[in-house]
Amino acid sequence: MNRDSGKNVFTKPELTVEDLSIALYQTNLKLAETNRRLIESEKKRSELLANISHDLRSPITTLHGYVEYLLSFEQPDEYEVFLTLNQMLGKLHSLDHLLNEMLLITSLDYPDDKFALRPIPIGGYLTDFFNSCKADKKYAQRGLLLKLPDNCPHYVVINPEMFARVLDNLFTNALKYSTQNDKIILEACLKGTDVIISVTDTGIGIDHKDLRRIFERTYMVSDSRTPGSGEGCGLGLSIAASIMGRHDGQIWCESTLGKGSTFYLSLPLYVPD
């Protein structure tokens, strides 16, 4: 616009019809991509809610059945009541675990100052974690092995509590998908400027076609190893991936059906000043 004698004069933009067509085409492409991402995001959200609803419905239905079972007796046997209450407690623990996982994965989507990171000597940290697993009787029928470089002086910057959740998830999965006398191996090495930590099991493995999906929130983890079981909504590995992202790290898996799986964690090496 130019001003002439107090009037606004329109100045024709120096754009051709071809320029405007190209600009419109590019804008339409961006809108289409944004729309595609929104649709994909909504689809994943719906799938996640469906999986979580399934996982919530199962223990709730079971609890409902237990209550009806107890109410069906005029004078239930004390031992029968004791057994039923213990079964109900187990289902309540499952519900509590799922709700905590949901809260955690939601909080990881919104970074805050509570996720404090600090330099940690990784050798000592992994040794302490390994020894805690070694003392846990649930691993009594597995061969636990720790392989670290001599002295392992390397430092990484982590949140010790959150990183322990990652390791615990990998060890729990290794236990779940292996059998008596199988091995679970915790290992670490330096590769370039990264510390690579791995958890290997000699269990049943994961089908190659499923490996790219196991860290998705909407993926049923058990589908890749025990097809049709429909157990779990896959939040564990998704949480592990989110935690690794907050550490500027990476997580990936290599697996062979019938031979086992190895999950790798990569963290930047920290060099103290």
Side-chain angles (χ1 to χ4, degrees), residues 121-128 130 145-154 185-190 195-198:
I122 194 61
Y125 180 86
L126 293 177
T127 299
D128 289 343
F130 179 82
L145 298 174
L146 176 65
K147 297 182 179 181
L148 298 178
D150 293 339
N151 299 321
C152 198
H154 312 304
I185 305 165
L186 177 61
E187 193 169 359
C189 66
L190 182 64
V195 173
I196 308 296
I197 301 162
S198 62

mmCIF file of all heavy atoms in Angstrom, residues 121-128 130 145-154 185-190 195-198:
data_model
loop_
_atom_site.group_PDB
_atom_site.id
_atom_site.type_symbol
_atom_site.label_atom_id
_atom_site.label_comp_id
_atom_site.label_asym_id
_atom_site.label_seq_id
_atom_site.Cartn_x
_atom_site.Cartn_y
_atom_site.Cartn_z
ATOM 1 N N PRO A 121 29.464 -43.518 37.567
ATOM 2 C CA PRO A 121 30.402 -44.532 37.048
ATOM 3 C C PRO A 121 29.618 -45.785 36.678
ATOM 4 O O PRO A 121 29.053 -46.467 37.538
ATOM 5 C CB PRO A 121 31.347 -44.780 38.228
ATOM 6 C CG PRO A 121 30.577 -44.357 39.442
ATOM 7 C CD PRO A 121 29.633 -43.288 39.007
ATOM 8 N N ILE A 122 29.530 -46.073 35.399
ATOM 9 C CA ILE A 122 28.615 -47.104 34.925
ATOM 10 C C ILE A 122 28.998 -48.493 35.405
ATOM 11 O O ILE A 122 28.127 -49.349 35.614
ATOM 12 C CB ILE A 122 28.506 -47.065 33.381
ATOM 13 C CG1 ILE A 122 27.294 -47.887 32.904
ATOM 14 C CG2 ILE A 122 29.804 -47.534 32.742
ATOM 15 C CD1 ILE A 122 25.975 -47.391 33.406
ATOM 16 N N GLY A 123 30.276 -48.752 35.602
ATOM 17 C CA GLY A 123 30.702 -50.071 36.064
ATOM 18 C C GLY A 123 30.114 -50.413 37.426
ATOM 19 O O GLY A 123 29.526 -51.484 37.622
ATOM 20 N N GLY A 124 30.247 -49.498 38.377
ATOM 21 C CA GLY A 124 29.711 -49.721 39.712
ATOM 22 C C GLY A 124 28.196 -49.781 39.711
ATOM 23 O O GLY A 124 27.590 -50.586 40.431
ATOM 24 N N TYR A 125 27.583 -48.937 38.883
ATOM 25 C CA TYR A 125 26.118 -48.898 38.811
ATOM 26 C C TYR A 125 25.575 -50.228 38.298
ATOM 27 O O TYR A 125 24.629 -50.792 38.870
ATOM 28 C CB TYR A 125 25.688 -47.755 37.894
ATOM 29 C CG TYR A 125 24.197 -47.616 37.729
ATOM 30 C CD1 TYR A 125 23.439 -46.881 38.639
ATOM 31 C CD2 TYR A 125 23.533 -48.225 36.661
ATOM 32 C CE1 TYR A 125 22.062 -46.752 38.486
ATOM 33 C CE2 TYR A 125 22.167 -48.106 36.500
ATOM 34 C CZ TYR A 125 21.440 -47.364 37.418
ATOM 35 O OH TYR A 125 20.075 -47.252 37.273
ATOM 36 N N LEU A 126 26.160 -50.748 37.214
ATOM 37 C CA LEU A 126 25.697 -52.011 36.653
ATOM 38 C C LEU A 126 25.973 -53.179 37.598
ATOM 39 O O LEU A 126 25.174 -54.119 37.694
ATOM 40 C CB LEU A 126 26.349 -52.264 35.300
ATOM 41 C CG LEU A 126 25.947 -51.308 34.167
ATOM 42 C CD1 LEU A 126 26.715 -51.635 32.893
ATOM 43 C CD2 LEU A 126 24.442 -51.357 33.914
ATOM 44 N N THR A 127 27.093 -53.127 38.295
ATOM 45 C CA THR A 127 27.417 -54.186 39.255
ATOM 46 C C THR A 127 26.378 -54.227 40.379
ATOM 47 O O THR A 127 25.913 -55.299 40.773
ATOM 48 C CB THR A 127 28.821 -53.977 39.843
ATOM 49 O OG1 THR A 127 29.795 -54.017 38.778
ATOM 50 C CG2 THR A 127 29.155 -55.062 40.859
ATOM 51 N N ASP A 128 26.009 -53.052 40.883
ATOM 52 C CA ASP A 128 24.999 -52.998 41.947
ATOM 53 C C ASP A 128 23.655 -53.534 41.453
ATOM 54 O O ASP A 128 22.977 -54.291 42.170
ATOM 55 C CB ASP A 128 24.827 -51.560 42.449
ATOM 56 C CG ASP A 128 26.028 -51.078 43.248
ATOM 57 O OD1 ASP A 128 26.839 -51.931 43.679
ATOM 58 O OD2 ASP A 128 26.155 -49.846 43.420
ATOM 59 N N PHE A 130 23.139 -55.631 38.965
ATOM 60 C CA PHE A 130 23.280 -57.072 38.731
ATOM 61 C C PHE A 130 23.205 -57.846 40.045
ATOM 62 O O PHE A 130 22.526 -58.875 40.133
ATOM 63 C CB PHE A 130 24.605 -57.357 38.023
ATOM 64 C CG PHE A 130 24.853 -58.817 37.767
ATOM 65 C CD1 PHE A 130 24.294 -59.448 36.667
ATOM 66 C CD2 PHE A 130 25.648 -59.563 38.634
ATOM 67 C CE1 PHE A 130 24.511 -60.795 36.424
ATOM 68 C CE2 PHE A 130 25.872 -60.909 38.406
ATOM 69 C CZ PHE A 130 25.303 -61.531 37.300
ATOM 70 N N LEU A 145 24.807 -63.651 34.255
ATOM 71 C CA LEU A 145 26.218 -63.373 34.005
ATOM 72 C C LEU A 145 26.436 -61.878 33.840
ATOM 73 O O LEU A 145 25.614 -61.188 33.231
ATOM 74 C CB LEU A 145 26.701 -64.092 32.740
ATOM 75 C CG LEU A 145 26.639 -65.627 32.740
ATOM 76 C CD1 LEU A 145 27.018 -66.161 31.363
ATOM 77 C CD2 LEU A 145 27.557 -66.206 33.806
ATOM 78 N N LEU A 146 27.539 -61.372 34.373
ATOM 79 C CA LEU A 146 27.915 -59.965 34.234
ATOM 80 C C LEU A 146 29.261 -59.892 33.523
ATOM 81 O O LEU A 146 30.234 -60.517 33.953
ATOM 82 C CB LEU A 146 28.012 -59.296 35.609
ATOM 83 C CG LEU A 146 28.482 -57.837 35.625
ATOM 84 C CD1 LEU A 146 27.474 -56.937 34.916
ATOM 85 C CD2 LEU A 146 28.705 -57.366 37.058
ATOM 86 N N LYS A 147 29.320 -59.135 32.420
ATOM 87 C CA LYS A 147 30.562 -58.994 31.653
ATOM 88 C C LYS A 147 30.890 -57.513 31.502
ATOM 89 O O LYS A 147 30.214 -56.793 30.762
ATOM 90 C CB LYS A 147 30.419 -59.644 30.276
ATOM 91 C CG LYS A 147 30.188 -61.152 30.319
ATOM 92 C CD LYS A 147 30.101 -61.736 28.907
ATOM 93 C CE LYS A 147 29.888 -63.231 28.932
ATOM 94 N NZ LYS A 147 29.823 -63.816 27.555
ATOM 95 N N LEU A 148 31.907 -57.066 32.222
ATOM 96 C CA LEU A 148 32.334 -55.668 32.168
ATOM 97 C C LEU A 148 33.819 -55.593 31.852
ATOM 98 O O LEU A 148 34.580 -56.501 32.215
ATOM 99 C CB LEU A 148 32.073 -54.977 33.514
ATOM 100 C CG LEU A 148 30.625 -54.882 33.998
ATOM 101 C CD1 LEU A 148 30.586 -54.217 35.369
ATOM 102 C CD2 LEU A 148 29.763 -54.104 33.015
ATOM 103 N N PRO A 149 34.255 -54.510 31.190
ATOM 104 C CA PRO A 149 35.695 -54.312 30.993
ATOM 105 C C PRO A 149 36.384 -54.193 32.344
ATOM 106 O O PRO A 149 35.768 -53.848 33.351
ATOM 107 C CB PRO A 149 35.765 -52.981 30.219
ATOM 108 C CG PRO A 149 34.402 -52.775 29.664
ATOM 109 C CD PRO A 149 33.447 -53.426 30.612
ATOM 110 N N ASP A 150 37.683 -54.485 32.388
ATOM 111 C CA ASP A 150 38.440 -54.378 33.637
ATOM 112 C C ASP A 150 38.278 -52.987 34.238
ATOM 113 O O ASP A 150 38.530 -51.972 33.576
ATOM 114 C CB ASP A 150 39.921 -54.670 33.390
ATOM 115 C CG ASP A 150 40.162 -56.116 33.003
ATOM 116 O OD1 ASP A 150 39.274 -56.951 33.317
ATOM 117 O OD2 ASP A 150 41.208 -56.414 32.394
ATOM 118 N N ASN A 151 37.859 -52.953 35.481
ATOM 119 C CA ASN A 151 37.658 -51.728 36.264
ATOM 120 C C ASN A 151 36.490 -50.876 35.742
ATOM 121 O O ASN A 151 35.843 -50.176 36.494
ATOM 122 C CB ASN A 151 38.929 -50.863 36.310
ATOM 123 C CG ASN A 151 40.067 -51.612 36.965
ATOM 124 O OD1 ASN A 151 39.848 -52.331 37.939
ATOM 125 N ND2 ASN A 151 41.263 -51.453 36.430
ATOM 126 N N CYS A 152 36.224 -50.919 34.441
ATOM 127 C CA CYS A 152 35.126 -50.162 33.804
ATOM 128 C C CYS A 152 35.038 -48.732 34.359
ATOM 129 O O CYS A 152 34.097 -48.393 35.074
ATOM 130 C CB CYS A 152 33.804 -50.886 34.005
ATOM 131 S SG CYS A 152 32.498 -50.350 32.873
ATOM 132 N N PRO A 153 36.009 -47.875 34.015
ATOM 133 C CA PRO A 153 36.067 -46.539 34.612
ATOM 134 C C PRO A 153 35.129 -45.513 33.962
ATOM 135 O O PRO A 153 35.122 -44.353 34.341
ATOM 136 C CB PRO A 153 37.522 -46.140 34.357
ATOM 137 C CG PRO A 153 37.849 -46.808 33.046
ATOM 138 C CD PRO A 153 37.089 -48.109 33.048
ATOM 139 N N HIS A 154 34.354 -45.941 32.986
ATOM 140 C CA HIS A 154 33.576 -44.999 32.186
ATOM 141 C C HIS A 154 32.422 -44.382 32.972
ATOM 142 O O HIS A 154 31.775 -45.040 33.788
ATOM 143 C CB HIS A 154 33.038 -45.688 30.936
ATOM 144 C CG HIS A 154 34.064 -46.479 30.205
ATOM 145 N ND1 HIS A 154 35.245 -45.929 29.767
ATOM 146 C CD2 HIS A 154 34.102 -47.790 29.846
ATOM 147 C CE1 HIS A 154 35.961 -46.861 29.150
ATOM 148 N NE2 HIS A 154 35.295 -47.995 29.197
ATOM 149 N N ILE A 185 22.379 -62.251 30.383
ATOM 150 C CA ILE A 185 23.736 -61.678 30.424
ATOM 151 C C ILE A 185 23.661 -60.161 30.362
ATOM 152 O O ILE A 185 23.058 -59.591 29.439
ATOM 153 C CB ILE A 185 24.591 -62.202 29.256
ATOM 154 C CG1 ILE A 185 24.601 -63.742 29.256
ATOM 155 C CG2 ILE A 185 26.011 -61.661 29.347
ATOM 156 C CD1 ILE A 185 25.112 -64.344 27.959
ATOM 157 N N LEU A 186 24.277 -59.507 31.336
ATOM 158 C CA LEU A 186 24.396 -58.045 31.351
ATOM 159 C C LEU A 186 25.831 -57.697 30.976
ATOM 160 O O LEU A 186 26.778 -58.172 31.597
ATOM 161 C CB LEU A 186 24.057 -57.498 32.733
ATOM 162 C CG LEU A 186 24.197 -55.986 32.933
ATOM 163 C CD1 LEU A 186 23.274 -55.218 31.996
ATOM 164 C CD2 LEU A 186 23.907 -55.609 34.382
ATOM 165 N N GLU A 187 25.976 -56.847 29.958
ATOM 166 C CA GLU A 187 27.313 -56.563 29.428
ATOM 167 C C GLU A 187 27.439 -55.083 29.099
ATOM 168 O O GLU A 187 26.440 -54.417 28.817
ATOM 169 C CB GLU A 187 27.541 -57.410 28.167
ATOM 170 C CG GLU A 187 28.962 -57.477 27.677
ATOM 171 C CD GLU A 187 29.153 -58.544 26.607
ATOM 172 O OE1 GLU A 187 28.167 -59.242 26.272
ATOM 173 O OE2 GLU A 187 30.282 -58.695 26.117
ATOM 174 N N ALA A 188 28.657 -54.576 29.126
ATOM 175 C CA ALA A 188 28.906 -53.179 28.750
ATOM 176 C C ALA A 188 30.258 -53.080 28.059
ATOM 177 O O ALA A 188 31.199 -53.828 28.367
ATOM 178 C CB ALA A 188 28.879 -52.267 29.968
ATOM 179 N N CYS A 189 30.349 -52.145 27.111
ATOM 180 C CA CYS A 189 31.614 -51.901 26.422
ATOM 181 C C CYS A 189 31.608 -50.464 25.902
ATOM 182 O O CYS A 189 30.565 -49.811 25.832
ATOM 183 C CB CYS A 189 31.833 -52.892 25.283
ATOM 184 S SG CYS A 189 30.649 -52.716 23.925
ATOM 185 N N LEU A 190 32.780 -49.985 25.554
ATOM 186 C CA LEU A 190 32.923 -48.642 24.983
ATOM 187 C C LEU A 190 33.057 -48.762 23.472
ATOM 188 O O LEU A 190 33.872 -49.539 22.964
ATOM 189 C CB LEU A 190 34.159 -47.948 25.562
ATOM 190 C CG LEU A 190 34.406 -46.504 25.092
ATOM 191 C CD1 LEU A 190 33.280 -45.598 25.545
ATOM 192 C CD2 LEU A 190 35.747 -45.998 25.610
ATOM 193 N N VAL A 195 28.853 -45.467 25.393
ATOM 194 C CA VAL A 195 28.876 -46.681 26.204
ATOM 195 C C VAL A 195 27.687 -47.534 25.766
ATOM 196 O O VAL A 195 26.554 -47.069 25.754
ATOM 197 C CB VAL A 195 28.778 -46.361 27.711
ATOM 198 C CG1 VAL A 195 28.640 -47.650 28.524
ATOM 199 C CG2 VAL A 195 29.990 -45.572 28.170
ATOM 200 N N ILE A 196 27.963 -48.780 25.376
ATOM 201 C CA ILE A 196 26.927 -49.696 24.911
ATOM 202 C C ILE A 196 26.677 -50.737 26.004
ATOM 203 O O ILE A 196 27.584 -51.464 26.397
ATOM 204 C CB ILE A 196 27.314 -50.403 23.605
ATOM 205 C CG1 ILE A 196 27.737 -49.376 22.540
ATOM 206 C CG2 ILE A 196 26.156 -51.260 23.115
ATOM 207 C CD1 ILE A 196 26.648 -48.440 22.120
ATOM 208 N N ILE A 197 25.448 -50.780 26.481
ATOM 209 C CA ILE A 197 25.038 -51.754 27.493
ATOM 210 C C ILE A 197 24.070 -52.718 26.826
ATOM 211 O O ILE A 197 23.203 -52.304 26.053
ATOM 212 C CB ILE A 197 24.345 -51.049 28.675
ATOM 213 C CG1 ILE A 197 25.297 -50.035 29.309
ATOM 214 C CG2 ILE A 197 23.865 -52.054 29.718
ATOM 215 C CD1 ILE A 197 24.603 -49.001 30.179
ATOM 216 N N SER A 198 24.215 -54.007 27.110
ATOM 217 C CA SER A 198 23.330 -54.985 26.488
ATOM 218 C C SER A 198 22.801 -55.964 27.523
ATOM 219 O O SER A 198 23.470 -56.287 28.506
ATOM 220 C CB SER A 198 24.051 -55.751 25.377
ATOM 221 O OG SER A 198 25.153 -56.476 25.888
#
